[in-house]
Amino acid sequence: MTASPAAVSRSSRGQAMAPPTVPIPASAFEPTDGTVLRWLGMAGFLINARGTLLAVDPLLEGFDMPVLIDFPIEAADIPRLDAVLVSHSDNDHYSVPTCTALAPVTRRFHSTRYVGELMTEAGMPAEGHDIGDVIDIGDVRITVTPADHSWQNAFPEPGQRVFRDEDCCGFRIDTPDGTIWAPGDSRLIRDHHLTMPSPDALLFDFSDSEWHFGFDGAVEMANAYPDADLLLHHWGSVDSPDFAPFNADPDTLWAVVANPQRIHVLAPGEPFRLGG
């Protein structure tokens, strides 16, 4: 739904919360006459593009922080996926428990070279990619896009690998019904994030975190594509009022985003049809 600021509820500690969950039915996995997205909560999405089924950064179980939402489906209830796309190795994006549970019903996992190696070592049918690679799945074409999210290097631990920019990515997903851009967690890369051909829908991370776009950077990105639908995510799911990456507030967007009617405060599991 396209909500108004008054529609956003708050936790007892004042944190903006996602609307009540809409369970995902079995029919969501059947062929469709268009492309339908469903927010899974956290940073995850389920995409059904005329019967081609993709999950982006799914996290449905086993997270290590308290959550504010009911997940809209259990991993065990997902009947099939043509692909799972994982943007980077943080456990709210590469959920090992979720991906392990999805492996028997997933044709292929796709991520960066680094995460692809982790998945292969865990026994998942995985493929790692370079930035710029193109993946064709049925009538869907996916381009791996750059991201800047190597936060681990700022907090080195003994024996830790040096993380590279190419260990993180986004995904530009071209469907028969339009383009979805999932840029992943990233700091703003001005000559990339502000200069792409406009997507029809932007999976929109607007948290005020120094290792993400930051609020001002997210708004600048949104306004660089004034006709793209903004599907809010990475907010309202984790009980973390003092942790910026998870505590974004949709109320802060209405006055600063061009064409604010394109802001979509979806409930977990609620269907969104690409192109209206």
Side-chain angles (χ1 to χ4, degrees), residues 138-161:
D139 293 331
V140 175
R141 170 159 286 193
I142 302 161
T143 304
V144 182
T145 61
D148 176 358
H149 193 60
S150 298
W151 62 267
Q152 297 93 336
N153 296 335
F155 306 96
E157 297 180 358
Q160 175 180 294
R161 72 188 296 273

Side-chain angles (χ1 to χ4, degrees), residues 35-235:
T35 295
V36 177
L37 299 89
R38 288 175 167 85
W39 183 38
L40 298 174
M42 314 294 279
F45 281 84
L46 174 69
I47 302 170
N48 185 335
R50 303 196 177 209
T52 297
L53 293 167
L54 312 175
V56 180
D57 287 343
L59 192 169
L60 298 171
E61 58 187 67
F63 193 49
D64 61 355
M65 295 176 67
V67 297
L68 295 170
I69 63 170
D70 295 320
F71 292 109
I73 193 169
E74 294 185 6
D77 292 331
I78 293 179
R80 69 176 184 90
L81 291 168
D82 293 291
V84 169
L85 311 179
V86 173
S87 62
H88 63 290
S89 61
D90 289 353
N91 70 345
D92 59 319
H93 295 260
Y94 174 37
S95 167
V96 174
T98 302
C99 289
T100 299
L102 292 176
V105 297
T106 300
R107 289 187 178 180
R108 201 75 172 161
F109 291 79
H110 297 275
S111 188
T112 63
R113 295 279 182 193
Y114 169 59
V115 180
E117 291 175 1
L118 297 179
M119 291 174 161
T120 299
E121 291 171 1
M124 301 171 196
E127 186 173 351
H129 299 275
D130 295 318
I131 303 301
D133 279 0
V134 174
I135 309 160
D136 289 315
I137 303 172
D139 293 331
V140 175
R141 170 159 286 193
I142 302 161
T143 304
V144 182
T145 61
D148 176 358
H149 193 60
S150 298
W151 62 267
Q152 297 93 336
N153 296 335
F155 306 96
E157 297 180 358
Q160 175 180 294
R161 72 188 296 273
V162 175
F163 282 79
R164 301 172 295 179
D165 289 343
E166 59 267 32
D167 294 335
C168 307
C169 74
F171 300 101
R172 187 175 177 89
I173 304 167
D174 292 308
T175 79
D177 306 292
T179 298
I180 303 160
W181 189 10
D185 286 4
S186 180
R187 295 188 288 193
L188 185 68
I189 307 171
R190 302 186 69 83
D191 61 358
H192 166 63
H193 287 126
L194 304 180
T195 61
M196 294 281 278
S198 181
D200 296 285
L202 178 61
L203 307 189
F204 189 58
D205 171 10
F206 59 109
S207 65
D208 194 13
S209 166
E210 63 177 322
W211 293 102
H212 293 237
F213 295 105
F215 181 76
D216 291 342
V219 170
E220 188 174 3
M221 186 177 177
N223 289 340
Y225 308 103
D227 297 320
D229 284 305
L230 304 177
L231 277 57
L232 307 190
H233 72 95
H234 224 299
W235 77 282

